[in-house]
Amino acid sequence: MSLWYKLRPYVMTVPAITVFILFFIYPIFYMIYLSFTSWNLISPVKKFVGWGNYVELLSSREFQQVIANTITYTFLTVLLTLIIALVLALWLNRKGFIYSFAQGAIFSPYIISLVSVALLWLWIMDPQYGLLNWVLKIFGLSPCPWLTHTDTALISLVIVGVWKTVGYNTLVFIAGLQNIPRDLYEAAELDEAGRWKTFYKITLPMLSPTVFFLLVVNIIASFQVFDTVQIMTQGGPVNATNMLVFYIYQYGFDFFKIGYASAAGVFLLIIVGIMTVFHFIFLSKRVHYR
Amino acid sequence: MARVEFKNITKKYGQETVIENMNLEIKDGSFTVLVGPSGCGKSTTLRMIAGLEKHSSGEIWIGERCVNDIPPAKRDVAMVFQNYALYPTMNVKENIEFGLKNKKVPKKERKLLINEISEIVGLTGYLNRKPSTLSGGQRQRVALARAMVKKPQVFLMDEPLSNLDAKLRNQMRTELIQLHKKLGTTFIYVTHDQVEAMSMGDEIVVMNNGQIKQTADPVAIYDDPEDVFIAQFIGSPPMNVLELKSIPGLNFKGKKGIAFIGFRPEKAEMSLTKKEGSITFQGRVITRETLGFETIYQVQSSLGVVMIKHFSRPFVENEELFVNVCYSDLYFFAENGQRVRNIKRDEFLFEEKNLLKVAGGSF
């Protein structure tokens, strides 16, 4: 009886733990193991190469560019998403049909599969008959090469990324705004605070937990961008949009350099791991302004 | 210091009229309490003075100017909110200072003001604390300090004590009265608690359904209510109001239109024998609330259930007794609830026998 009492919690969590170990923990350790080997996915021998893959990875010009691309993409996407979402949230945080409709409309890209979004934008950004260039032409501007030029390809992906996630961010911001007690604004009105001052002295500080949450979540998501790269640019032109996850995929499953790809995977794991730790620290210390 | 005047104020929310044609004068330097049940429009009235709510028509005057088109910050009023509305991200000092900074008061002067005010409300040691680390009473003081530091002409308070526990509420009540004496500024205070209204105000405005029912000092409101609503709203327990129909022995000569009679719980005397010069009926104690100095009885009588406040001999439950109310302590009300005044003793006839017989039979 007492033995069963002690064992019961373990026995009952066995299924969940099994799944967790099999599909989460084991692959991570297997990847770390593979990163120290040279393997082509078919050969029965996994040759141990020590730090070889890492040395090759860190000294590779291509990888350095991939990291730079990923950081640029993440920085621009997160920054633009947060700013646009905040502006939209401030504008849409009202009652009325048009505002509810706009909230729904802005959110809708978020629930569409990213593959469809990528295909859609591939058409929109087509240099010859795309919608965007048609609009530019109407305003008398010269057409933009979008995805086909090294200068504009990365920013084109940023546009798609922002378009896709801005709705979700807006909704979270609206929820945050609605949590700010109305009497604070009334007190500020009586305290003669202007609109701008009310915004940066009351709204923004009160929103800071929301901002931080979105910042971390968006950075983690942006670092793992893959679908748009795979469908829209294949990392090109001339590696201009090659980013970490696509790079790993390419080396693993196009070039069959599993060991090398795993080393890059470990790199991604470390970056996302650090962000996740930040996220958890933040969640545990989350300020409740009450 | 300023007086506040409402001239034909109407407030509508969409199609719904909340306040219609209200005229009100709040005296300079008074402690005026707006009291009434929830939804009576008292908070709306206060918010219209502050400018947080725009009135639909009419004029609001503060001091010598019509403030219809003047924004809240320029009306020279300060408000204490029910939930204090302290800025959670700022510490106590910054909370108090915020309004001054916006008014571009020089730093030296700000410092002097903050020191002076925090001294008055007893917050000197807490200036660097965030509101979330303060107790309810301390937050209340910060809210007061934030209002006081602006040296407004009118203080507006929207149920500021309702979030405090009973003991602290009593203490703050006393402090607010003292503060009003010290500052001499006009205080306008909204509450639904009639005890609070009676104990704090020197002028009470009783409101119901968006209308002002009576404006008077506490004693007058209590002793000389305009109608049944005020008589029952003010006083604890409320005035006993009985339908004339339920008192078979009571008849009026000539004067018609009286539908209700009432008496205050403490004006009824309970005794084991009948008393002369009173309206007397039989009853039985149902419940007893012992409050120390006084005891509140719920008495089932032939006229219905009445509440009686008694100070001396303790009666026990189910004890049969006589309730005597002196004729001069009776209030008379018309069918629509309006008070009927100046009914003299010889204008009504009370046939005791008739009543007692009914009473006797019902037990």
Side-chain angles (χ1 to χ4, degrees), chain B residues 9 20 31 40 68 90 93 96 102 119 146 162 172 187 202 205 209 229 236 243 277 288 315 326 339 358:
Chain B
I9 290 295
E20 195 161 14
F31 195 132
C40 71
N68 276 9
M90 303 181 198
K93 180 170 166 275
I96 301 172
N102 294 336
E119 189 84 35
R146 191 173 66 178
S162 60
M172 287 305 290
F187 275 43
D202 49 31
V205 179
N209 293 328
F229 170 77
S236 171
E243 265 189 275
R288 197 175 76 170
F315 289 85
C326 199
R339 179 87 180 279
V358 175

Side-chain angles (χ1 to χ4, degrees), chain B residues 1-3 26-30 153-155 184-188:
Chain B
M1 302 234 282
R3 58 194 267 280
I26 291 163
K27 287 179 199 133
D28 186 6
S30 71
Q153 295 209 53
V154 180
F155 272 98
T185 318
T186 314
F187 275 43
I188 306 175

Side-chain angles (χ1 to χ4, degrees), chain B residues 249-301:
Chain B
L250 197 59
N251 288 304
F252 289 90
K253 286 188 237 162
K255 273 239 171 170
K256 293 249 165 76
I258 291 172
F260 304 97
I261 68 160
F263 59 90
R264 293 267 176 213
E266 66 274 17
K267 297 288 169 139
E269 204 194 355
M270 292 159 72
S271 63
L272 296 173
T273 52
K274 281 184 274 177
K275 228 182 133 204
E276 288 303 313
S278 313
I279 175 170
T280 303
F281 50 93
Q282 248 180 328
R284 176 167 52 88
V285 176
I286 315 176
T287 61
R288 197 175 76 170
E289 290 171 49
T290 312
L291 303 175
F293 172 62
E294 60 197 26
T295 311
I296 295 167
Y297 296 93
Q298 203 182 358
V299 175
Q300 173 74 55
S301 77

Side-chain angles (χ1 to χ4, degrees), chain B residues 6-209:
Chain B
F6 274 43
K7 291 180 182 168
N8 303 318
I9 290 295
T10 298
K11 171 72 188 168
K12 288 179 184 166
Y13 288 110
Q15 292 297 312
E16 197 188 348
T17 305
V18 196
I19 288 167
E20 195 161 14
N21 215 16
M22 180 196 266
N23 285 291
L24 172 66
E25 195 194 330
I26 291 163
K27 287 179 199 133
D28 186 6
S30 71
F31 195 132
T32 300
V33 180
L34 304 177
V35 66
S38 53
C40 71
K42 56 191 190 300
S43 279
T44 310
T45 307
L46 192 78
R47 293 166 58 83
M48 284 194 294
I49 301 173
L52 298 172
E53 210 87 65
K54 186 96 180 87
H55 53 278
S56 310
S57 66
E59 283 179 5
I60 298 176
W61 287 70
I62 297 177
E64 296 310 310
R65 39 177 207 161
C66 173
V67 294
N68 276 9
D69 299 314
I70 295 175
K74 305 281 184 196
R75 292 191 177 192
D76 214 359
V77 298
M79 185 155 166
V80 178
F81 292 84
Q82 185 172 0
N83 300 316
Y84 320 131
L86 302 178
Y87 310 122
T89 52
M90 303 181 198
N91 65 25
V92 172
K93 180 170 166 275
E94 289 164 335
N95 259 285
I96 301 172
E97 206 176 20
F98 191 57
L100 296 180
K101 272 187 171 172
N102 294 336
K103 278 199 172 123
K104 310 242 167 9
V105 176
K107 198 173 178 188
K108 257 190 188 167
E109 203 177 318
R110 287 206 305 258
K111 204 174 168 193
L112 276 174
L113 274 168
I114 291 167
N115 286 342
E116 180 197 333
I117 299 293
S118 49
E119 189 84 35
I120 295 177
V121 294
L123 279 171
T124 310
Y126 299 94
L127 287 178
N128 291 319
R129 298 262 294 265
K130 284 272 170 69
S132 56
T133 65
L134 299 177
S135 69
Q138 288 165 334
R139 287 181 206 186
Q140 178 66 72
R141 280 168 222 271
V142 179
L144 271 174
R146 191 173 66 178
M148 282 163 65
V149 83
K150 290 192 275 184
K151 311 230 163 173
Q153 295 209 53
V154 180
F155 272 98
L156 306 171
M157 303 192 187
D158 189 2
E159 310 214 10
L161 305 185
S162 60
N163 281 351
L164 302 178
D165 63 63
K167 200 180 161 197
L168 202 54
R169 200 181 309 155
N170 281 336
Q171 188 192 331
M172 287 305 290
R173 223 187 262 170
T174 324
E175 285 184 25
L176 279 178
I177 297 170
Q178 285 168 351
L179 193 66
H180 174 247
K181 289 223 170 84
K182 198 187 280 177
L183 299 175
T185 318
T186 314
F187 275 43
I188 306 175
Y189 188 104
V190 160
T191 179
H192 63 269
D193 181 353
Q194 52 92 15
V195 179
E196 216 165 272
M198 294 290 281
S199 60
M200 297 177 80
D202 49 31
E203 184 97 332
I204 294 180
V205 179
V206 185
M207 292 182 67
N208 193 27
N209 293 328

